[in-house]
Amino acid sequence: MTVLTPLDEPALVRLLEAAVAGADPLEVMPPVEGPPGWTAARRAAFLAFHHARSLNPATAVERTWVVDVDGVAVGAARLERHGDAVEAGIWLRRDVRGRGIGTQVTALLLAEAQRSGAARFIASTTADNHSARSLLGGIGAALTVAGEEVAADLPLS
Ligand SMILES: CC(C)(COP(=O)(O)OP(=O)(O)OC[C@H]1O[C@@H](n2cnc3c(N)ncnc32)[C@H](O)[C@@H]1OP(=O)(O)O)[C@@H](O)C(=O)NCCC(=O)NCCS
């Protein structure tokens, strides 16, 4: 069963484990200088990134959830307010991709977006990200391609 668990300190520890176990740092946070892989600096940056963006009320800009499948952390989902819209983002561990979990998480995020009172659900991805494009097209979002960037926009009622 796939559920979204609101991020808190214990959940953030589980989320870092999921990222290290099965995601590329560039898929889950902004670039950090240094040798490739999950160095100590990148692990610290991952924790600082989520503290700043979600956990610290003074700086928070988004709500983040751990994606739990049968009680195991396999990725993250987020909603960030932009005016009357909420921007969604998802990443999953490589070993669980392609099994429909992204589709389930998108539906759960969409329900959260509707509960938040936002007028639009938006997301962005790259032209070569076929699974993300399928996810966003699948919920009925309008997709606009501009070069390598794809913007998704879905009005909420
Ligand atoms: C994007 C991501 C969240 C999708 O989650 P997922 O669990 O793999 O997706 P699903 O299994 O639910 O599949 C979603 C759709 O993509 C399609 N799909 C899955 N893997 C695919 C692949 N490798 N190539 C093409 N299409 C693919 C599925 O067929 C499905 O389409 P359908 O609904 O038309 O049948 C996941 O791949 C991921 O974490 N990627 C890395 C981070 C990322 O790119 N995040 C999105 C940035 S906006």
Side-chain angles (χ1 to χ4, degrees):
M1 184 183 170
T2 301
V3 298
L4 298 183
T5 305
L7 195 69
D8 59 13
E9 293 294 344
L12 180 54
V13 173
R14 299 192 300 112
L15 186 60
L16 175 59
E17 283 169 11
V20 170
D24 187 282
L26 282 176
E27 290 175 328
V28 302
M29 68 174 178
V32 174
E33 295 268 319
W38 282 102
T39 58
R42 285 206 184 84
R43 291 171 196 236
F46 182 88
L47 297 175
F49 175 74
H50 285 293
H51 277 125
R53 293 187 64 88
S54 292
L55 294 183
N56 180 350
T59 59
V61 293
E62 65 190 4
R63 295 162 72 202
T64 300
W65 294 266
V66 174
V67 176
D68 277 310
V69 175
D70 298 332
V72 177
V74 299
R78 68 181 191 96
L79 286 178
E80 178 178 0
R81 194 86 191 205
H82 289 285
D84 69 349
V86 278
E87 182 187 66
I90 306 174
W91 64 262
L92 298 174
R93 258 175 25 198
R94 279 187 291 271
D95 62 317
V96 304
R97 291 178 196 167
R99 293 188 205 166
I101 297 169
T103 303
Q104 293 170 3
V105 172
T106 303
L108 292 169
L109 270 186
L110 192 53
E112 286 287 350
Q114 272 155 343
R115 275 195 287 276
S116 79
R120 293 184 302 128
F121 182 92
I122 61 175
S124 62
T125 188
T126 49
D128 60 357
N129 195 334
H130 299 290
S131 46
R133 290 176 68 163
S134 293
L135 283 184
L136 295 164
I139 58 169
L143 303 186
T144 307
V145 183
E148 283 304 298
E149 300 297 312
V150 178
D153 198 324
L154 178 71
L156 300 173
S157 48

